[in-house]
Amino acid sequence: MTSTLGVDAVVLVGGKGTRLRPLTLSAPKPMLPTAGVPFLSHLLSRIRAAGITHVVLGTSYRAEVFEEYFGDGAALGLEIEYVVEREPLDTGGAIRNVLGHLRAEHAVIFNGDILSGADLPALVATHRDAGADVTLHLQRVADPGRFGSVPTDADGRVTAFLEKTPNPPTDQINAGCYVFRRSVVESIPAGRRVSVERETFPMLLESGAHVHGFVDSSYWLDVGTPDTFVRGSADLVRGLAPTSALPGPVGESLLLEGASVSAEAIVDGGATLGRDTVVGAGARVSGAVLFDGATVGAGADVRDSVLGAGASVGEGTVLRGVVLGDRASVGAGCELLDGARVWPEVTLPEGALRFSSDA
Ligand code: GTP
């Protein structure tokens, strides 16, 4: 299969996704259902749309589930290869570990938990035109103080990798997507943990390598936390985030096969109701993600929350910004707020009010 863009894609999907626990206890983060399909499907759809067909997945945590779902990639018009790290090698080590599978002179590397609308052909063209060793997608954000920042000079060359500070000198941040020249991949030490952000990039700058920036301000979201995961899913459902992998039309909600919603319930805000979910009379489900088989009782109010597979919410219960693990059960008349997380299989009894981690 030939890739019209003339590059390989490498997607890093080996992280443990600790910030999304307990959802990531049963599935790796890139496989969590997001707008009805695994999150990774959205990224792969963008890779294919950009004309890249050869994709190498760098896996470690729960490695087998990726191949079980995506197989050889032919159904998506891709050729997918899987490389497994016996021990997690971190981002840079993971890139070095796929070297033997790269076919082209340049590879586009993706963190597997980013939703982005960046123009990938333009990113590759910038890298080629600049003759760079590495080109980073740099995202302009409204709140750069929350991230490390990456300034560039008038020619677009990266001048520094700065730690998080309250008043960074630029609003450009590392967006978790890079083009690497093959020789740079070769230069990463093999067989040990290497952080591309903390070790590889600063070393490249120090050694005088040409590190370039591709600055962009289109849609961008790191879905690695519960609140951004919910927001990303809702943005996909509403057509605000780019994808070609939605299992239904965009709108205020996405209902998968067998989802049953009472005529007196409201489902909106980009909510996704997975297969065989049930929403009772007078309930409201807004901007939330219900995995397969989750149930919401009559009169309950579930907002900006994730309900794991088979989780249940009792009558009149209020959830805001909450994660319920698979088959967790919250009884009637409860109120859980602000980042509360209920572990899989745990049952909270009726009327247990305000279980909030931040309260
Ligand atoms: P947290 O534990 O919640 O921070 O999530 P994470 O483990 O996914 O880490 P992080 O969000 O920093 O990782 C960024 C990207 O790199 C994600 O797509 C991860 O899957 C991937 N990643 C992180 N560590 C490794 C690793 O050791 N090996 C591989 N192959 N990928 C990794």
Side-chain angles (χ1 to χ4, degrees):
M1 219 180 279
T2 52
S3 159
T4 52
L5 215 52
V7 293
D8 300 304
V10 175
V11 188
L12 305 180
V13 293
K16 291 204 169 93
T18 51
R19 290 167 297 159
L20 271 176
R21 281 185 189 156
L23 301 171
T24 44
L25 295 175
S26 54
K29 178 168 53 174
M31 291 304 289
L32 291 176
T34 318
V37 291
F39 179 79
L40 188 55
S41 303
H42 302 292
L43 176 54
L44 293 175
S45 79
R46 285 190 54 245
I47 289 172
R48 182 67 192 86
I52 306 174
T53 48
H54 179 228
V55 180
V56 185
L57 292 193
T59 68
S60 173
Y61 176 64
R62 307 291 313 269
E64 67 292 346
V65 297
F66 294 97
E67 189 161 7
E68 278 164 23
Y69 188 88
F70 292 106
D72 63 5
L76 303 172
L78 296 170
E79 187 186 343
I80 302 181
E81 290 188 75
Y82 302 86
V83 178
V84 183
E85 295 149 39
R86 256 173 297 150
E87 294 297 324
L89 293 170
D90 205 345
T91 45
I95 296 169
R96 177 62 177 79
N97 197 48
V98 304
L99 175 66
H101 296 261
L102 301 182
R103 298 173 184 169
E105 180 56 24
H106 304 276
V108 188
I109 320 281
F110 298 87
N111 278 0
D113 54 358
I114 304 287
L115 255 185
S116 156
D119 182 337
L120 297 176
L123 168 69
V124 172
T126 299
H127 175 75
R128 286 210 166 101
D129 293 347
D133 295 306
V134 171
T135 301
L136 289 88
H137 167 202
L138 301 179
Q139 181 71 18
R140 301 189 65 189
V141 295
D143 49 355
R146 293 201 305 117
F147 306 87
S149 62
V150 187
T152 44
D153 68 14
D155 298 324
R157 285 179 83 126
V158 170
T159 54
F161 290 92
L162 303 175
E163 299 283 332
K164 209 173 5 178
T165 78
N167 289 307
T170 171
D171 62 358
Q172 300 170 182
I173 64 153
N174 175 352
C177 172
Y178 330 103
V179 192
F180 269 58
R181 187 186 287 280
R182 186 190 176 87
S183 57
V184 177
V185 179
E186 284 164 357
S187 74
I188 299 172
R192 69 161 170 90
R193 289 181 68 86
V194 179
S195 159
V196 78
E197 299 88 355
R198 287 188 298 279
E199 188 174 335
T200 309
F201 290 148
M203 255 181 49
L204 283 170
L205 269 195
E206 216 169 283
S207 68
H210 183 165
V211 182
H212 210 80
F214 172 78
V215 180
D216 193 73
S217 19
S218 51
Y219 184 94
W220 183 85
L221 189 68
D222 173 344
V223 302
T225 62
D227 62 321
T228 56
F229 177 78
V230 167
R231 198 181 332 143
S233 182
D235 285 352
L236 284 161
V237 170
R238 300 168 104 180
L240 304 175
T243 182
S244 315
L246 279 182
V250 295
E252 275 303 290
S253 62
L254 174 65
L255 274 56
L256 301 189
E257 209 180 303
S260 159
V261 181
S262 159
E264 292 99 65
I266 298 172
V267 178
D268 63 2
T272 297
L273 306 191
R275 281 170 199 80
D276 303 321
T277 49
V278 178
V279 177
R284 174 149 194 188
V285 175
S286 192
V289 184
L290 274 56
F291 290 5
D292 294 349
T295 59
V296 173
D301 187 347
V302 176
R303 300 195 191 198
D304 305 328
S305 298
V306 188
L307 275 52
S312 66
V313 175
E315 288 187 13
T317 280
V318 174
L319 302 185
R320 298 223 198 295
V322 169
V323 177
L324 303 187
D326 294 344
R327 295 169 300 284
S329 169
V330 181
C334 291
E335 184 179 281
L336 272 74
L337 304 172
D338 308 331
R341 300 176 194 213
V342 181
W343 242 239
E345 323 280 348
V346 168
T347 296
L348 297 183
E350 182 174 339
L353 285 178
R354 276 194 69 82
F355 272 81
S356 165
S357 64
D358 300 335

